[in-house]
């Protein structure tokens, strides 16, 4: 039986949508396995794809959400790398700072979506996870004796 390509696109979503989902899941899975290199590459590719979508459609909630997820995965990758580095070293502090930067961007994106009422309850949990990861990174930075950048209000 032959399928109508237009009806398949409507039912299955676009190829770009599936590609973005693939990078999103790949980044999350790689971080879960401790493969930060793959997680970073995947999250960066997701950011690139979402940036293209957002140039064409700045209010695309799916692309905004995926970009926030990619920022979260980048933050998690750097948090993992920081925990692998020896305590109280410049490398650890550098990775923690990078983690905080990405996690803060992710939290800001989720909060903007919450203000715009485009953040569904399902994804509100991602905001909580991002805030928890940011708090961990800030606590680790404080424990290392390095200065913790102030949170924007």
């Amino acid at each position: 039986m032959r399928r109508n390509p237009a009806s398949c696109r409507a039912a299955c979503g676009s190829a770009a949508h599936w590609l973005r989902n693939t990078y999103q899941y790949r980044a999350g899975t790689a971080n879960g396995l401790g493969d930060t290199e793959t997680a970073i590459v995947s999250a960066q590719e997701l950011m690139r794809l979402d940036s293209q979508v957002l140039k064409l459609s700045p209010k695309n909630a799916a692309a905004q959400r995926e970009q926030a997820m990619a920022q979260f995965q980048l933050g998690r990758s750097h948090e993992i790398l920081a925990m692998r580095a020896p305590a109280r070293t410049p490398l650890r502090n550098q990775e923690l700072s990078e983690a905080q930067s990405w996690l803060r961007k992710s939290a800001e994106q989720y909060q903007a979506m919450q203000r715009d009422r485009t953040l569904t309850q399902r994804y509100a949990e991602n905001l909580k996870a991002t805030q928890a990861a940011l708090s961990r990174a800030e606590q680790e930075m404080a424990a290392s004796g390095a200065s913790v950048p102030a949170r924007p209000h």
Side-chain angles (χ1 to χ4, degrees), residues 8-65:
C8 182
R9 273 193 302 277
C12 305
S14 70
H17 168 78
W18 288 108
L19 184 58
R20 290 183 355 238
N21 279 349
T22 300
Y23 282 116
Q24 175 189 329
Y25 290 117
R26 185 175 180 222
T29 300
N31 266 337
L33 296 172
D35 183 358
T36 55
E37 183 177 336
T38 298
I40 289 170
V41 168
S42 298
Q44 288 172 334
E45 189 60 21
L46 179 57
M47 292 279 293
R48 185 186 68 77
L49 293 170
D50 288 329
S51 291
Q52 290 175 353
V53 171
L54 290 168
K55 280 182 187 175
L56 298 173
S57 179
K59 295 292 184 180
N60 185 307
Q64 290 174 344
R65 182 179 60 246

Side-chain angles (χ1 to χ4, degrees), residues 59-80:
K59 295 292 184 180
N60 185 307
Q64 290 174 344
R65 182 179 60 246
E66 289 170 358
Q67 196 165 60
M69 289 176 169
Q71 292 163 337
F72 172 78
Q73 293 301 342
L74 287 165
R76 280 290 298 132
S77 294
H78 288 285
E79 183 183 18
I80 291 166

Side-chain angles (χ1 to χ4, degrees), residues 108-119:
E108 289 168 358
Q109 180 69 42
Y110 282 128
Q111 289 165 342
M113 292 181 72
Q114 197 172 44
R115 279 191 305 277
D116 294 342
R117 299 186 191 280
T118 57
L119 185 66

